Amino acid sequence: MRAVLTWKETCAEKCVYDLAFKPDGSQLIVAAGLRVLVYDAADGNLIQPLKGHKDIVYCVAYAKDGKRFASGSADKSIIIWTSKLEGILKYIHNDSIQCVAYNPVTHQLASCSSGDFEQKSVNKHKVSSKITCCGWTNDGQYLALGMMNGVVSIRNKNGEEKVKIERPGGSSSPIWSIAWNPSKDEHNDILAVADWGQKLSFYQLSGNQSNKGKTLTYDPCCVSYFSKGEYIVMGGSDRQASLYTKDGVLLGTIGEQNAWVSTCRVKPDSNFVVLGCQDGTIVCYQLIFSTVHGLYKDRYAYRENMTDVIVQHLITEQKARIKCHELVKKIAIYRNRLAIQLPEKIHIYELESDDTSDMHYRSKERIYRKFECNLLVVCSQHIIVCQEKRLQCLSFTGSKEKEWVMESLIRYIKVIGGPPAREGLLVGLKNGAILKIFVDNPLPITLLKLSASVRCLDMSASRNKLAVVDEQNTLLVYDINSKELLFQEPNANSVAWNTQCEDMLCFSGNGYLNIKASNFPVHQQKMKGFVVGYNGSKIFCLHVYSMSAVDVPQSAPMYQYLERKMFKEAYQIACLGVTDSDWRDLATEALEGLDFDTAKKAFIRIRDLRYLELINSIEERKKRGENDNELFLADVCAYQGKFHEAAKLYKHTGHESRALSMYTDLRMFDYAKEFVGATDPKSSRILMTKQADWAKSSKEPRAAAEMYLSAGEHLKAIDIIGEHGWADMLIDIARKLDKAEREPLAKCAFHFKRLKHHGYASETYSKMGDLKALVHLHVETRHWEEAFSLVEKHPQFKYDVFVPYAQWLAENDRFEEAQKAFHKAGRQNEAVKVLEQLTHNAVVENRFNDAGYYYWMLSMQCLDIVRENEEQRDEMLKKFERFQHLAELYHVYRSIQRYTDEPFSSHMPETLFNICRFLLNNLTKDVPPGISKVNTLYALAKQSQRLGAYKLARYSYEKLQELHIPSRFQESIELGSLTIRSKPFHDSEDLIEGMMCYRCSTHNPLLNNQGSVCINCRQPFIYSASSYEVLPLVQFYLEEGISDEEALSLIDLEAPHTNQNDAQLQDKDNGQLQALRIGDGLDDEEEDPFTAKMSFEQGGTNFVPVKVSRSVLRSMSRRDVLIKRWPRPLKWEYFRSLLPDVSITMCPTCFKMFHSEDYELLVLQHNCCPYCRRPIDEPN
């Protein structure tokens, strides 16, 4: 550390009591005599003296924000000045002002007098002793006061004392100066305290002493920290200022004066120190801290904070700190050794292990001697001390083993390696001599003698070349053996050989880094600092105080070697560190130069497997005896993309086929055609196919397809066209193909199907004549009409069409049509299953109209099954009867359900009355699911009461009492039961007359527990399927031997009636069966069994049917006879109308009877039969 005088001023007021810098360092405020002096901090010129105090000014302080400063005087006043040097405020204390300090955060001013202190704009506080100095903590929370009685009082912003530090000396050791460490890196606030007991102590905010403190040899008057808190400046009675570390270690003297140093301050953020003396002298010094360091390969040791040594690994960036607690004067490092020179000793350390990355040092030896030396070098077992011309070799115990005296001053010394205890030193002298010294040899060896002084030296890794930088900044490189100057370069200040490459060195100078390989031109790049080492691709550079490892690609020297085809040397340079692109260039150049070994190693570096495969194949071919370098070069050119050169070389070596394969593989078909020529049609066709393959793979499918067609590869062309959906191209191909080419046609049809071009696919299948595929196409595309028309012409495909059609209908909830389709396909079981599920769903969902319709369809399905399978005849006929019965029950119950569940009914009361009676007459046994007897009786009771059938209504209400009645009917039924009792206990005559049997003229009860038959003759009633009134019809049967066709022809004859007695009624007993026979000899009074009233009483309980003979059939009128023409195996049923004037219509599908007017109205409403839903325009 050196102190350089910057400027010096003497003021006329004699004693300088205090100093303060403006925070930006531009101005210096001085308290001297009666005035405040303002100086320019840069050159010491007086800017302006400030007058305002009437007595000596003792103290000054500048606010942290730089807007104002304060001065305190013996006249008991404080003056606040602005940065423009104008006084803006003055206030007074009770005693003379001793010190002032601004809060660094709140800019609050603390001013202290002999007996009190005041925080401006807060309060004044009394103290027990005279205050000599004060200072705020960095965060502005606490104020420390130093007093004459040896006490340090630490107070908060409100003036309350928090900590009291009592010094051992008491009042005999007054506190003369205090300062808080401004460092932001410290974990605790540290207070430096200097007293006139000649002690420097350090305290924490809590009042605990942080170290033992230091004993001084003088009375301190002032303490000041550097801006970052790393150093302390103190001055006092010893008439000089001294520099200390932040821990109090003395580092040196700044400047000797003629009087006591009363005050000192460090300029903010700089190394300038200003001292004020009692004789009025103001002096400014600049402190220059020299770099103390050492380097060995990638380990760099340097001094920090003057007392610490940092060892830095330049590659891994690891650091190790060694605290010496004394001034570090010199550092030397070599291999695992580290030597540190302190003022009174040399301390030697060694690494704890042989690991190259280990950073843990342990103490090995101490040499307790004071050395005054210029340079220090450490070897494995020795210390080399340089004192001007003298070199001394000391063992680690401190004994001198050898000494060399040079003829001139030693300017440079470096350990260049060697075995332990026999290391070699390279020494450069001021007179230009360069020597090599071995520590075990007393005689130095002169290597060279230059004309200029040596500044820097280095020897190459093989010890064959020597690089020297002289005082003229010239780099000189010599061959050590021949002493020949190899080359020289200007503008150098330091030099270093590459430790891994013999022919490479670097040097720095004029802000540039220069890299030189062999005798090639220098490669330059900008870099600040000095080169101190060169290891591989890393250059170690010292700039000011910091060492850095710079990664420098070795590209430039590598390319210099490549230009001269020196591939192996270029590879050695590349190994030091180049980019991937540089490696690729090296590999390519070596490959073209047929240096396969170097090329292989370079391609391995960049992991280029393609070129490695090429090199391996060439090496294998060389092993097999191939040695045609032109052929190898052709392969290399082909790999590099130099295809025309490769083709020429292939042709030159007689390998035209390789050139052709190369062009076709590269899809360079035009060049391939040129190469082949037009003489070989087979090769041209192969080329066309390969070109099409390439067009396909290169995403040019249309061109590929056209090429395939040209080459006759129809299947490949069709695949491409089909994949891309070009239907127009595909149909053109299909139309041009012969129908015998079934495979390409089938592929065309497949793609048309996939592309949903049904018409084109159909056309293609038709051309092929593949009817089955055509049927499947229509089915898959849901084009049912075309499928049906095809089935009409070719019935063998019926099953293939109707089964999928039915399944499709069922999937689309068109179950009725699905059932019909299953039926058409002959899949009766599936048809029945569909209908059964539909019926079940309709009943569950209370769709009784649909349920009736589905049951009717089920019954007809049973007939179809019987016709196809005679074995199931009896079972299916029973099911037919049951389903017909259920169909009618659900059909009529729909009206009752609508009446009870919906607010309005479309039926007349008489119709509902008839429906309820019909349903109850037929519910004599089990009640089918979904049909409610309660709803039926409730509806009957309501309609009976309305139509005057009071007896029947009372009966209905009584029956309801026996059943579980829903809550919604409860009140209505109870009210109806009471109301009906006020009515007469009989039914309306008109209603009873409506229940007359048209066969025996018996009046039947409104409700009949025997069912819908006459109670007298057991003749079943025939009801209208709409109003459910009894129709004037009597069923009759044919005599044995009369067929349905004969009966129909006899009825159609319609013979006129005669007056002869050609018919008579016979009653014939045929065992258990009784029959009414209309014979050939009828009396005149009884011409017709339907028109004459029966004169006999029905005797038995069995029903006696009416049977007719041929003559009776002939006598009947066609318009009076209705025939239910059931399909086989059922027989036809015949009915005779006894009231020809009553018009009756029968549905030709379900054979239900209606009054003609009712039927016509219902057909108009529904456009179909209300029972079987047969459309009116559908042929029977």
Side-chain angles (χ1 to χ4, degrees):
M1 184 274 296
R2 291 183 298 119
V4 179
L5 179 65
T6 304
W7 53 263
K8 183 175 181 180
E9 290 291 327
T10 304
C11 53
E13 280 79 2
K14 295 297 182 186
C15 185
V16 176
Y17 286 97
D18 201 4
L19 300 169
F21 273 102
K22 190 175 181 178
D24 63 4
S26 63
Q27 293 178 359
L28 178 68
I29 312 299
V30 179
L34 304 178
R35 292 185 298 172
V36 177
L37 305 176
V38 183
Y39 286 91
D40 187 325
D43 54 16
N45 291 331
L46 180 65
I47 296 173
Q48 186 178 338
L50 302 176
K51 297 178 181 179
H53 290 288
K54 298 174 183 178
D55 207 338
I56 296 171
V57 181
Y58 283 141
C59 52
V60 288
Y62 223 116
K64 194 82 172 177
D65 60 3
K67 293 180 180 179
R68 58 183 65 86
F69 61 92
S71 58
S73 168
D75 64 2
K76 306 178 184 179
S77 68
I78 301 287
I79 298 179
I80 309 294
W81 310 83
T82 67
S83 59
K84 296 179 179 179
L85 312 183
E86 298 170 348
I88 56 171
L89 179 66
K90 185 175 184 178
Y91 66 94
I92 61 172
H93 276 257
N94 296 328
D95 291 304
S96 63
I97 309 303
Q98 299 299 312
C99 55
V100 290
Y102 272 103
N103 188 307
V105 178
T106 64
H107 310 303
Q108 193 176 13
L109 178 66
S111 54
C112 307
S113 69
S114 301
D116 61 8
F117 76 94
E118 180 177 338
Q119 297 178 71
K120 186 61 187 158
S121 76
V122 187
N123 286 313
K124 190 178 288 187
H125 306 276
K126 290 287 184 182
V127 291
S128 57
S129 178
K130 180 180 179 179
I131 301 172
T132 58
C133 49
C134 63
W136 290 95
T137 55
N138 296 327
D139 58 6
Q141 296 297 314
Y142 296 95
L143 176 69
L145 305 176
M147 303 189 185
M148 286 293 287
N149 61 1
V151 171
V152 178
S153 175
I154 299 177
R155 302 180 177 237
N156 62 15
K157 287 194 291 187
N158 296 326
E160 300 164 352
E161 187 172 74
K162 294 297 180 182
V163 178
K164 186 177 182 180
I165 302 170
E166 296 185 0
R167 303 282 290 143
S171 57
S172 62
S173 302
I175 308 299
W176 211 254
S177 186
I178 61 173
W180 292 98
N181 189 333
S183 172
K184 295 178 182 177
D185 298 330
E186 297 288 342
H187 297 298
N188 300 307
D189 289 305
I190 302 296
L191 179 68
V193 179
D195 63 38
W196 276 13
Q198 297 191 345
K199 286 270 189 176
L200 173 63
S201 305
F202 298 92
Y203 291 91
Q204 295 176 0
L205 186 60
S206 60
N208 297 326
Q209 194 165 351
S210 60
N211 59 33
K212 293 180 180 179
K214 301 295 178 182
T215 301
L216 308 175
T217 59
Y218 57 93
D219 292 329
C221 294
C222 52
V223 173
S224 181
Y225 273 98
F226 272 57
S227 296
K228 294 181 180 177
E230 67 269 45
Y231 303 117
I232 296 173
V233 179
M234 277 208 308
S237 61
D238 59 348
R239 302 187 179 189
Q240 63 184 15
S242 301
L243 184 70
Y244 296 82
T245 66
K246 62 182 179 180
D247 297 321
V249 176
L250 178 63
L251 299 177
T253 301
I254 293 175
E256 294 186 3
Q257 307 300 323
N258 297 322
W260 283 27
V261 177
S262 56
T263 179
C264 61
R265 288 287 183 269
V266 180
K267 185 178 178 181
D269 300 317
S270 75
N271 290 340
F272 289 90
V273 177
V274 177
L275 311 179
C277 304
Q278 285 188 338
D279 61 358
T281 302
I282 305 169
V283 60
C284 178
Y285 292 97
Q286 181 183 10
L287 303 189
I288 297 173
F289 297 94
S290 58
T291 304
V292 176
H293 60 102
L295 174 74
Y296 178 75
K297 290 190 176 178
D298 49 17
R299 286 176 188 265
Y300 176 60
Y302 61 96
R303 180 175 70 181
E304 186 176 76
N305 295 339
M306 307 298 281
T307 59
D308 294 350
V309 174
I310 306 291
V311 183
Q312 177 184 356
H313 197 293
L314 295 172
I315 308 300
T316 64
E317 296 295 328
Q318 289 178 285
K319 290 184 178 181
R321 180 184 291 273
I322 299 173
K323 292 191 174 185
C324 300
H325 303 292
E326 291 183 72
L327 176 63
V328 174
K329 301 182 77 174
K330 293 285 184 294
I331 299 172
I333 186 168
Y334 175 72
R335 291 186 179 168
N336 63 339
R337 297 282 190 262
L338 173 68
I340 302 172
Q341 182 189 3
L342 303 174
E344 304 293 333
K345 62 187 175 186
I346 294 177
H347 201 153
I348 300 156
Y349 295 86
E350 68 176 357
L351 282 171
E352 291 184 356
S353 69
D354 295 331
D355 185 2
T356 55
S357 62
D358 183 29
M359 296 297 288
H360 296 89
Y361 284 87
R362 63 188 174 200
S363 177
K364 180 171 177 61
E365 296 289 347
R366 288 184 177 88
I367 302 174
Y368 289 97
R369 275 177 57 189
K370 186 174 182 179
F371 293 93
E372 289 299 332
C373 63
N374 308 104
L375 299 168
L376 179 70
V377 173
V378 65
C379 297
S380 57
Q381 296 177 14
H382 297 90
I383 288 287
I384 311 296
V385 178
C386 171
Q387 297 164 332
E388 295 185 343
K389 297 181 180 181
R390 187 189 306 272
L391 276 180
Q392 287 185 342
C393 178
L394 308 175
S395 69
F396 285 166
T397 57
S399 59
K400 185 169 74 173
E401 294 188 355
K402 288 182 182 60
E403 182 175 282
W404 300 270
V405 179
M406 305 298 153
E407 59 190 18
S408 176
L409 289 175
I410 298 169
R411 293 291 303 274
Y412 192 86
I413 183 169
K414 182 175 184 177
V415 185
I416 56 173
R422 297 171 59 194
E423 287 88 357
L425 306 176
L426 200 60
V427 180
L429 305 182
K430 189 175 181 180
N431 65 358
I434 300 167
L435 303 96
K436 189 195 291 187
I437 298 174
F438 293 97
V439 295
D440 61 340
N441 189 340
L443 300 174
I445 302 166
T446 302
L447 297 177
L448 286 169
K449 187 76 167 63
L450 305 181
S451 58
S453 174
V454 174
R455 184 171 179 176
C456 183
L457 286 172
D458 199 17
M459 191 177 281
S460 66
S462 63
R463 307 288 186 266
N464 291 324
K465 296 177 184 178
L466 180 67
V468 185
V469 177
D470 64 15
E471 280 296 321
Q472 279 81 41
N473 289 344
T474 302
L475 169 65
L476 304 152
V477 177
Y478 291 90
D479 184 303
I480 293 177
N481 299 320
S482 66
K483 306 293 189 290
E484 177 192 355
L485 175 65
L486 299 176
F487 60 85
Q488 67 181 43
E489 295 286 344
N491 302 320
N493 55 27
S494 63
V495 65
W497 284 98
N498 196 315
T499 56
Q500 296 181 20
C501 183
E502 171 71 15
D503 288 336
M504 287 192 71
L505 61 77
C506 66
F507 61 94
S508 56
N510 283 356
Y512 282 94
L513 169 67
N514 304 272
I515 301 172
K516 187 171 179 67
S518 187
N519 56 353
F520 300 133
V522 171
H523 170 72
Q524 284 190 335
Q525 67 182 63
K526 286 188 177 181
M527 186 192 76
K528 293 181 180 180
F530 299 88
V531 166
V532 293
Y534 190 7
N535 185 4
S537 65
K538 290 188 181 294
I539 291 178
F540 304 126
C541 170
L542 177 66
H543 179 54
V544 190
Y545 303 120
S546 66
M547 178 72 76
S548 58
V550 181
D551 265 311
V552 181
Q554 307 299 307
S555 309
M558 184 197 80
Y559 284 112
Q560 289 170 334
Y561 281 114
L562 283 181
E563 285 173 9
R564 301 195 182 184
K565 306 295 182 186
M566 300 168 69
F567 300 119
K568 288 183 170 51
E569 292 82 355
Y571 175 76
Q572 290 176 353
I573 299 295
C575 289
L576 302 179
V578 292
T579 63
D580 280 352
S581 63
D582 295 334
W583 274 111
R584 184 169 293 282
D585 290 343
L586 168 62
T588 306
E589 290 284 340
L591 189 60
E592 289 178 4
L594 302 179
D595 184 346
F596 296 118
D597 186 47
T598 302
K600 186 175 184 178
K601 289 189 282 189
F603 280 124
I604 287 171
R605 282 276 190 166
I606 55 176
R607 294 186 172 88
D608 193 326
L609 298 178
R610 197 165 62 93
Y611 277 103
L612 287 172
E613 287 174 3
L614 171 65
I615 293 168
N616 283 336
S617 70
I618 290 173
E619 287 176 344
E620 290 293 326
R621 285 155 60 188
K622 289 178 87 173
K623 286 178 185 176
R624 292 197 298 267
E626 284 189 40
N627 55 4
D628 191 341
N629 283 341
E630 275 197 352
L631 183 58
F632 296 150
L633 191 57
D635 290 339
V636 170
C637 289
Y639 264 72
Q640 289 178 334
K642 301 172 183 175
F643 306 118
H644 301 312
E645 293 177 33
K648 288 175 186 175
L649 288 167
Y650 281 133
K651 194 168 187 177
H652 192 259
T653 56
H655 292 83
E656 289 88 349
S657 60
R658 289 199 180 192
L660 184 61
S661 297
M662 175 188 72
Y663 278 132
T664 53
D665 290 345
L666 294 167
R667 318 302 184 233
M668 301 169 76
F669 298 103
D670 294 337
Y671 293 118
K673 288 172 187 173
E674 287 177 20
F675 192 82
V676 170
T679 56
D680 190 353
K682 184 179 179 183
S683 298
S684 298
R685 193 162 53 252
I686 293 169
L687 274 175
M688 183 68 75
T689 305
K690 286 192 174 184
Q691 190 172 359
D693 291 339
W694 163 74
K696 179 182 177 184
S697 62
S698 62
K699 308 258 176 94
E700 292 185 18
R702 191 175 286 271
E706 290 169 355
M707 291 174 195
Y708 278 132
L709 288 173
S710 301
E713 297 276 356
H714 288 117
L715 288 173
K716 290 183 178 180
I718 288 167
D719 280 337
I720 293 173
I721 294 167
E723 282 171 19
H724 291 85
W726 299 325
D728 52 346
M729 284 182 73
L730 202 59
I731 192 63
D732 286 343
I733 294 170
R735 287 169 181 166
K736 289 175 184 175
L737 285 170
D738 189 81
K739 64 181 179 180
E741 296 181 82
R742 296 184 67 82
E743 188 178 356
L745 281 171
K747 278 210 169 189
C748 287
F750 166 77
H751 287 300
F752 284 135
K753 279 170 60 178
R754 188 177 58 78
L755 297 170
K756 297 185 171 56
H757 283 284
H758 171 252
Y760 289 163
S762 176
E763 180 184 338
T764 309
Y765 280 131
S766 299
K767 182 174 182 176
M768 293 169 62
D770 192 344
L771 292 177
K772 187 164 186 179
L774 189 57
V775 166
H776 286 301
L777 169 70
H778 291 322
V779 168
E780 285 173 22
T781 54
R782 307 286 186 257
H783 290 150
W784 302 113
E785 295 301 326
E786 290 93 330
F788 296 152
S789 64
L790 202 62
V791 168
E792 285 178 15
K793 297 174 186 173
H794 306 281
Q796 67 268 29
F797 299 119
K798 181 174 76 170
Y799 181 84
D800 295 321
V801 172
F802 283 109
V803 171
Y805 177 58
Q807 290 168 344
W808 175 75
L809 290 169
E811 288 168 6
N812 289 278
D813 297 338
R814 294 163 64 182
F815 297 105
E816 297 169 20
E817 296 172 64
Q819 184 270 334
K820 291 175 184 174
F822 276 126
H823 179 59
K824 283 184 183 178
R827 301 282 287 272
Q828 304 297 350
N829 290 333
E830 282 87 342
V832 169
K833 282 179 184 176
V834 171
L835 275 176
E836 286 178 344
Q837 188 62 47
L838 284 171
T839 309
H840 174 74
N841 293 346
V843 171
V844 170
E845 295 166 12
N846 292 344
R847 294 183 290 107
F848 298 110
N849 214 22
D850 292 342
Y853 170 62
Y854 295 143
Y855 269 123
W856 175 78
M857 289 184 73
L858 266 175
S859 67
M860 301 311 290
Q861 200 76 55
C862 291
L863 288 183
D864 293 335
I865 294 172
V866 170
R867 283 198 297 275
E868 292 179 5
N869 190 351
E870 193 66 28
E871 295 175 1
Q872 294 180 285
R873 176 190 175 98
D874 295 339
E875 179 190 353
M876 286 297 123
L877 288 178
K878 285 180 184 176
K879 281 191 174 183
F880 169 78
E881 295 294 340
R882 178 168 162 270
F883 291 154
Q884 283 275 323
H885 178 64
L886 287 171
E888 191 155 27
L889 293 185
Y890 281 114
H891 178 72
V892 298
Y893 183 70
R894 165 64 179 152
S895 302
I896 296 169
Q897 184 249 348
R898 285 186 64 185
Y899 172 73
T900 55
D901 292 0
E902 295 178 8
F904 302 105
S905 175
S906 60
H907 289 292
M908 299 293 287
E910 293 84 355
T911 303
L912 274 173
F913 178 72
N914 292 337
I915 286 172
C916 293
R917 289 189 302 105
F918 174 81
L919 190 59
L920 287 171
N921 285 338
N922 284 280
L923 289 179
T924 52
K925 295 181 182 178
D926 297 333
V927 180
I931 293 179
S932 168
K933 210 164 183 179
V934 171
N935 287 4
T936 309
L937 285 168
Y938 174 73
L940 180 60
K942 285 286 187 183
Q943 301 311 318
S944 300
Q945 194 168 351
R946 180 179 293 183
L947 296 173
Y950 302 122
K951 182 178 178 182
L952 181 58
R954 187 178 294 191
Y955 170 79
S956 300
Y957 281 125
E958 288 172 358
K959 281 290 182 183
L960 280 169
Q961 300 300 327
E962 299 172 6
L963 301 174
H964 177 72
I965 301 167
S967 57
R968 63 193 179 103
F969 292 151
Q970 192 75 44
E971 185 177 347
S972 177
I973 290 172
E974 288 175 358
L975 184 62
S977 298
L978 292 173
T979 308
I980 199 64
R981 296 182 184 279
S982 65
K983 305 294 181 182
F985 188 62
H986 62 79
D987 295 326
S988 169
E989 292 294 334
D990 295 339
L991 297 174
I992 295 172
E993 287 175 2
M995 284 303 297
M996 184 189 78
C997 174
Y998 284 94
R999 179 178 175 185
C1000 63
S1001 301
T1002 304
H1003 289 285
N1004 279 262
L1006 295 177
L1007 278 184
N1008 185 357
N1009 57 7
Q1010 295 180 8
S1012 293
V1013 295
C1014 175
I1015 57 173
N1016 180 31
C1017 65
R1018 302 290 190 274
Q1019 181 73 27
F1021 292 118
I1022 310 301
Y1023 290 94
S1024 165
S1026 58
S1027 63
Y1028 281 85
E1029 296 175 359
V1030 177
L1031 295 174
L1033 295 174
V1034 174
Q1035 184 178 2
F1036 63 89
Y1037 299 85
L1038 303 178
E1039 284 186 350
E1040 291 182 12
I1042 304 174
S1043 67
D1044 291 328
E1045 291 77 8
E1046 184 185 355
L1048 190 59
S1049 63
L1050 289 170
I1051 293 169
D1052 286 341
L1053 288 174
E1054 200 167 344
H1057 290 284
T1058 62
N1059 294 327
Q1060 298 177 358
N1061 297 333
D1062 57 353
Q1064 69 177 40
L1065 187 66
Q1066 294 182 356
D1067 189 0
K1068 186 177 179 181
D1069 189 357
N1070 293 326
Q1072 294 296 323
L1073 177 65
Q1074 293 185 1
L1076 279 174
R1077 176 176 297 280
I1078 301 172
D1080 292 334
L1082 286 173
D1083 294 338
D1084 292 340
E1085 294 81 12
E1086 296 178 351
E1087 294 177 352
D1088 191 339
F1090 293 99
T1091 55
K1093 188 179 178 181
M1094 298 300 175
S1095 60
F1096 63 89
E1097 294 294 328
Q1098 184 70 32
T1101 58
N1102 294 330
F1103 167 57
V1104 179
V1106 177
K1107 286 192 177 183
V1108 296
S1109 64
R1110 290 181 178 85
S1111 59
V1112 175
L1113 288 171
R1114 277 195 299 270
S1115 68
M1116 290 182 183
S1117 172
R1118 182 70 185 85
R1119 65 186 182 83
D1120 296 340
V1121 177
L1122 294 170
I1123 305 172
K1124 292 186 179 181
R1125 305 187 188 194
W1126 293 107
R1128 65 177 188 81
L1130 294 180
K1131 293 181 178 179
W1132 289 7
E1133 293 181 355
Y1134 299 85
F1135 298 88
R1136 168 74 184 275
S1137 173
L1138 299 181
L1139 299 175
D1141 295 335
V1142 176
S1143 180
I1144 299 171
T1145 302
M1146 180 180 71
C1147 173
T1149 304
C1150 60
F1151 305 123
K1152 290 295 174 185
M1153 314 286 192
F1154 300 87
H1155 286 295
S1156 296
E1157 291 178 358
D1158 294 346
Y1159 184 73
E1160 289 168 4
L1161 180 63
L1162 289 167
V1163 165
L1164 284 172
Q1165 287 176 351
H1166 303 291
N1167 204 31
C1168 63
C1169 170
Y1171 192 85
C1172 68
R1173 303 183 184 179
R1174 169 186 167 273
I1176 56 171
D1177 54 355
E1178 183 181 288
N1180 186 22

